[in-house]
Amino acid sequence: MTEVQSNIGLNRRHVLFGAASLAALTLAGCTSMGGGMSHEEALLAYGPLPKERFPVPAVNLNKVDPRYLRRTVAYKSNEAPGTIIVDPGKFYVYRIEGNGMATRYGANVGRAGFLWNGDAYIGRKAEWPVWTPPREMIARQPEVAKYAGGMAPGLDNPLGARVLYLYQDGRYTLYTIYSTVMPETIGKNITSGCVGLLTQDAKHLFDRTPVGTKVVVLKA
């Protein structure tokens, strides 16, 4: 082999190796988390919300199972687009998008969230609400009695930055879809509360959900 042929072969190997390396890096950058968002997309979707009344920190993605990150999924339903379906047994909340698709959010479910199912609707919605524990909760957890007059809005407030209140026949059911800054609770059954979404997901759903929206809560 001549020196020229040797150099051509060497250069060709460098080109092939470089192309393979570039392809590997490209694939790595597009690797999805649990078949949904890529890591880069998740960092953006669950980044900080500095313009909120009380600035919300970024979600620590290491504390969330990737299968509970927001994603668009195939979902068969006869419900109209915009309808919210809560599946407490699987820790998911769906927003029907139409054409057999839905936006799926990972959720936590409070103890009471497993006890009720049926059709409801969003009777009202609020940003950074005051939280007032119901009498039943105060009887069960006397330590929250100090908030009987209402707990001021803030990151420590159990309802968080956004809340959707579920109603039936003009009456509040005491069930809500609320926001949480505790990523470790997603996909789990927690002591109190109804159905919680990561704040970034709750805001995403809140912004797309008008009062009057139908909600279907499935059996756990």
Side-chain angles (χ1 to χ4, degrees):
M1 180 181 294
T2 66
E3 183 177 351
V4 172
Q5 289 175 323
S6 178
N7 287 338
I8 291 174
L10 183 61
N11 290 338
R12 183 172 182 274
R13 285 195 296 273
H14 283 173
V15 170
L16 291 175
F17 179 77
S21 298
L22 180 60
L25 287 172
T26 301
L27 289 173
C30 294
T31 299
S32 63
M33 303 181 69
M37 294 183 176
S38 69
H39 184 69
E40 288 73 16
E41 290 170 334
L43 288 175
L44 182 61
Y46 294 101
L49 303 174
K51 295 183 180 180
E52 284 290 323
R53 177 179 173 187
F54 302 93
V56 177
V59 174
N60 183 343
L61 295 175
N62 293 324
K63 293 185 177 182
V64 186
D65 187 320
R67 62 181 166 163
Y68 294 120
L69 297 179
R70 184 196 322 156
R71 62 181 298 189
T72 300
V73 297
Y75 190 85
K76 292 183 179 180
S77 175
N78 293 324
E79 300 293 344
T83 301
I84 295 172
I85 298 180
V86 178
D87 190 343
K90 295 182 179 178
F91 301 99
Y92 287 128
V93 171
Y94 298 86
R95 181 188 185 275
I96 301 301
E97 305 295 350
N99 297 318
M101 305 301 289
T103 299
R104 190 182 73 189
Y105 308 89
N108 63 39
V109 179
R111 179 169 52 201
F114 284 99
L115 302 179
W116 181 86
N117 64 84
D119 291 353
Y121 62 92
I122 302 302
R124 61 189 176 99
K125 47 192 284 191
E127 298 186 20
W128 296 105
V130 170
W131 174 67
T132 303
R135 290 191 298 271
E136 297 82 357
M137 184 177 187
I138 293 175
R140 189 173 64 243
Q141 298 174 245
E143 66 273 15
V144 303
K146 60 184 177 181
Y147 299 121
M151 182 180 183
L155 294 179
D156 294 331
N157 184 301
L159 294 178
R162 301 290 188 277
V163 62
L164 300 171
Y165 297 89
L166 274 60
Y167 278 63
Q168 278 185 322
D169 301 321
R171 295 184 177 182
Y172 176 38
T173 63
L174 299 182
Y175 292 93
T176 65
I177 300 174
Y178 66 97
S179 62
T180 179
V181 292
M182 301 175 65
E184 64 274 13
T185 67
I186 300 301
K188 297 178 182 177
N189 177 23
I190 59 177
T191 302
S192 60
C194 295
V195 176
L197 306 181
L198 291 168
T199 300
Q200 287 79 351
D201 282 342
K203 183 178 184 302
H204 187 267
L205 179 62
F206 184 99
D207 291 345
R208 306 168 73 205
T209 302
V211 170
T213 295
K214 182 179 180 180
V215 180
V216 179
V217 181
L218 305 178
K219 290 183 178 180

PDB file of all heavy atoms in Angstrom, residues 158-171:
ATOM      1  N   PRO A 158     -51.120  23.865  50.947  1.00  0.00           N
ATOM      2  CA  PRO A 158     -51.354  22.538  50.349  1.00  0.00           C
ATOM      3  C   PRO A 158     -51.958  22.566  48.956  1.00  0.00           C
ATOM      4  O   PRO A 158     -51.767  21.625  48.182  1.00  0.00           O
ATOM      5  CB  PRO A 158     -52.314  21.881  51.350  1.00  0.00           C
ATOM      6  CG  PRO A 158     -52.028  22.540  52.642  1.00  0.00           C
ATOM      7  CD  PRO A 158     -51.730  23.970  52.285  1.00  0.00           C
ATOM      8  N   LEU A 159     -52.692  23.643  48.606  1.00  0.00           N
ATOM      9  CA  LEU A 159     -53.294  23.718  47.274  1.00  0.00           C
ATOM     10  C   LEU A 159     -52.340  24.282  46.236  1.00  0.00           C
ATOM     11  O   LEU A 159     -52.584  24.165  45.035  1.00  0.00           O
ATOM     12  CB  LEU A 159     -54.568  24.565  47.319  1.00  0.00           C
ATOM     13  CG  LEU A 159     -55.724  23.986  48.131  1.00  0.00           C
ATOM     14  CD1 LEU A 159     -56.906  24.952  48.117  1.00  0.00           C
ATOM     15  CD2 LEU A 159     -56.147  22.623  47.608  1.00  0.00           C
ATOM     16  N   GLY A 160     -51.271  24.925  46.694  1.00  0.00           N
ATOM     17  CA  GLY A 160     -50.254  25.407  45.777  1.00  0.00           C
ATOM     18  C   GLY A 160     -50.698  26.565  44.906  1.00  0.00           C
ATOM     19  O   GLY A 160     -51.480  27.423  45.310  1.00  0.00           O
ATOM     20  N   ALA A 161     -50.192  26.571  43.668  1.00  0.00           N
ATOM     21  CA  ALA A 161     -50.362  27.706  42.762  1.00  0.00           C
ATOM     22  C   ALA A 161     -51.665  27.692  41.975  1.00  0.00           C
ATOM     23  O   ALA A 161     -52.154  28.740  41.550  1.00  0.00           O
ATOM     24  CB  ALA A 161     -49.190  27.750  41.786  1.00  0.00           C
ATOM     25  N   ARG A 162     -52.226  26.521  41.746  1.00  0.00           N
ATOM     26  CA  ARG A 162     -53.438  26.401  40.935  1.00  0.00           C
ATOM     27  C   ARG A 162     -54.333  25.316  41.515  1.00  0.00           C
ATOM     28  O   ARG A 162     -53.853  24.300  42.013  1.00  0.00           O
ATOM     29  CB  ARG A 162     -53.100  26.022  39.484  1.00  0.00           C
ATOM     30  CG  ARG A 162     -52.203  26.985  38.736  1.00  0.00           C
ATOM     31  CD  ARG A 162     -52.898  28.294  38.424  1.00  0.00           C
ATOM     32  NE  ARG A 162     -52.100  29.127  37.539  1.00  0.00           N
ATOM     33  CZ  ARG A 162     -51.104  29.924  37.943  1.00  0.00           C
ATOM     34  NH1 ARG A 162     -50.785  29.988  39.239  1.00  0.00           N
ATOM     35  NH2 ARG A 162     -50.431  30.661  37.076  1.00  0.00           N
ATOM     36  N   VAL A 163     -55.646  25.548  41.412  1.00  0.00           N
ATOM     37  CA  VAL A 163     -56.580  24.515  41.866  1.00  0.00           C
ATOM     38  C   VAL A 163     -57.848  24.571  41.035  1.00  0.00           C
ATOM     39  O   VAL A 163     -58.338  25.649  40.670  1.00  0.00           O
ATOM     40  CB  VAL A 163     -56.901  24.663  43.380  1.00  0.00           C
ATOM     41  CG1 VAL A 163     -57.570  25.993  43.669  1.00  0.00           C
ATOM     42  CG2 VAL A 163     -57.764  23.525  43.869  1.00  0.00           C
ATOM     43  N   LEU A 164     -58.339  23.397  40.696  1.00  0.00           N
ATOM     44  CA  LEU A 164     -59.607  23.224  39.991  1.00  0.00           C
ATOM     45  C   LEU A 164     -60.563  22.536  40.964  1.00  0.00           C
ATOM     46  O   LEU A 164     -60.257  21.458  41.482  1.00  0.00           O
ATOM     47  CB  LEU A 164     -59.422  22.362  38.734  1.00  0.00           C
ATOM     48  CG  LEU A 164     -58.440  22.901  37.683  1.00  0.00           C
ATOM     49  CD1 LEU A 164     -58.185  21.840  36.611  1.00  0.00           C
ATOM     50  CD2 LEU A 164     -58.978  24.174  37.047  1.00  0.00           C
ATOM     51  N   TYR A 165     -61.716  23.159  41.215  1.00  0.00           N
ATOM     52  CA  TYR A 165     -62.668  22.639  42.193  1.00  0.00           C
ATOM     53  C   TYR A 165     -63.758  21.833  41.483  1.00  0.00           C
ATOM     54  O   TYR A 165     -64.395  22.329  40.541  1.00  0.00           O
ATOM     55  CB  TYR A 165     -63.310  23.787  42.971  1.00  0.00           C
ATOM     56  CG  TYR A 165     -62.333  24.597  43.785  1.00  0.00           C
ATOM     57  CD1 TYR A 165     -61.669  25.697  43.230  1.00  0.00           C
ATOM     58  CD2 TYR A 165     -62.070  24.280  45.115  1.00  0.00           C
ATOM     59  CE1 TYR A 165     -60.775  26.455  43.980  1.00  0.00           C
ATOM     60  CE2 TYR A 165     -61.172  25.034  45.874  1.00  0.00           C
ATOM     61  CZ  TYR A 165     -60.528  26.123  45.289  1.00  0.00           C
ATOM     62  OH  TYR A 165     -59.652  26.872  46.045  1.00  0.00           O
ATOM     63  N   LEU A 166     -63.984  20.609  41.952  1.00  0.00           N
ATOM     64  CA  LEU A 166     -64.970  19.742  41.335  1.00  0.00           C
ATOM     65  C   LEU A 166     -66.341  19.939  41.986  1.00  0.00           C
ATOM     66  O   LEU A 166     -66.466  19.901  43.215  1.00  0.00           O
ATOM     67  CB  LEU A 166     -64.553  18.270  41.463  1.00  0.00           C
ATOM     68  CG  LEU A 166     -63.615  17.734  40.379  1.00  0.00           C
ATOM     69  CD1 LEU A 166     -62.299  18.508  40.337  1.00  0.00           C
ATOM     70  CD2 LEU A 166     -63.349  16.250  40.588  1.00  0.00           C
ATOM     71  N   TYR A 167     -67.350  20.132  41.135  1.00  0.00           N
ATOM     72  CA  TYR A 167     -68.723  20.354  41.585  1.00  0.00           C
ATOM     73  C   TYR A 167     -69.665  19.309  40.988  1.00  0.00           C
ATOM     74  O   TYR A 167     -69.392  18.746  39.931  1.00  0.00           O
ATOM     75  CB  TYR A 167     -69.208  21.731  41.140  1.00  0.00           C
ATOM     76  CG  TYR A 167     -68.794  22.880  42.022  1.00  0.00           C
ATOM     77  CD1 TYR A 167     -67.449  23.209  42.204  1.00  0.00           C
ATOM     78  CD2 TYR A 167     -69.750  23.660  42.676  1.00  0.00           C
ATOM     79  CE1 TYR A 167     -67.078  24.282  43.011  1.00  0.00           C
ATOM     80  CE2 TYR A 167     -69.385  24.736  43.482  1.00  0.00           C
ATOM     81  CZ  TYR A 167     -68.047  25.036  43.651  1.00  0.00           C
ATOM     82  OH  TYR A 167     -67.687  26.087  44.456  1.00  0.00           O
ATOM     83  N   GLN A 168     -70.782  19.095  41.687  1.00  0.00           N
ATOM     84  CA  GLN A 168     -71.899  18.313  41.175  1.00  0.00           C
ATOM     85  C   GLN A 168     -73.185  19.027  41.548  1.00  0.00           C
ATOM     86  O   GLN A 168     -73.359  19.436  42.708  1.00  0.00           O
ATOM     87  CB  GLN A 168     -71.928  16.907  41.796  1.00  0.00           C
ATOM     88  CG  GLN A 168     -71.005  15.895  41.171  1.00  0.00           C
ATOM     89  CD  GLN A 168     -71.213  14.505  41.778  1.00  0.00           C
ATOM     90  OE1 GLN A 168     -71.441  14.364  42.976  1.00  0.00           O
ATOM     91  NE2 GLN A 168     -71.107  13.481  40.956  1.00  0.00           N
ATOM     92  N   ASP A 169     -74.073  19.209  40.584  1.00  0.00           N
ATOM     93  CA  ASP A 169     -75.378  19.822  40.846  1.00  0.00           C
ATOM     94  C   ASP A 169     -75.271  21.137  41.623  1.00  0.00           C
ATOM     95  O   ASP A 169     -76.045  21.410  42.544  1.00  0.00           O
ATOM     96  CB  ASP A 169     -76.274  18.849  41.621  1.00  0.00           C
ATOM     97  CG  ASP A 169     -76.494  17.542  40.867  1.00  0.00           C
ATOM     98  OD1 ASP A 169     -76.641  17.600  39.632  1.00  0.00           O
ATOM     99  OD2 ASP A 169     -76.494  16.481  41.504  1.00  0.00           O
ATOM    100  N   GLY A 170     -74.279  21.928  41.282  1.00  0.00           N
ATOM    101  CA  GLY A 170     -74.130  23.235  41.907  1.00  0.00           C
ATOM    102  C   GLY A 170     -73.467  23.230  43.263  1.00  0.00           C
ATOM    103  O   GLY A 170     -73.333  24.283  43.895  1.00  0.00           O
ATOM    104  N   ARG A 171     -73.024  22.085  43.722  1.00  0.00           N
ATOM    105  CA  ARG A 171     -72.405  21.984  45.041  1.00  0.00           C
ATOM    106  C   ARG A 171     -70.966  21.489  44.940  1.00  0.00           C
ATOM    107  O   ARG A 171     -70.657  20.601  44.145  1.00  0.00           O
ATOM    108  CB  ARG A 171     -73.198  21.026  45.943  1.00  0.00           C
ATOM    109  CG  ARG A 171     -74.608  21.511  46.265  1.00  0.00           C
ATOM    110  CD  ARG A 171     -75.289  20.566  47.232  1.00  0.00           C
ATOM    111  NE  ARG A 171     -76.625  21.038  47.610  1.00  0.00           N
ATOM    112  CZ  ARG A 171     -77.424  20.407  48.473  1.00  0.00           C
ATOM    113  NH1 ARG A 171     -77.019  19.269  49.018  1.00  0.00           N
ATOM    114  NH2 ARG A 171     -78.614  20.911  48.756  1.00  0.00           N
TER     115      ARG A 171
END
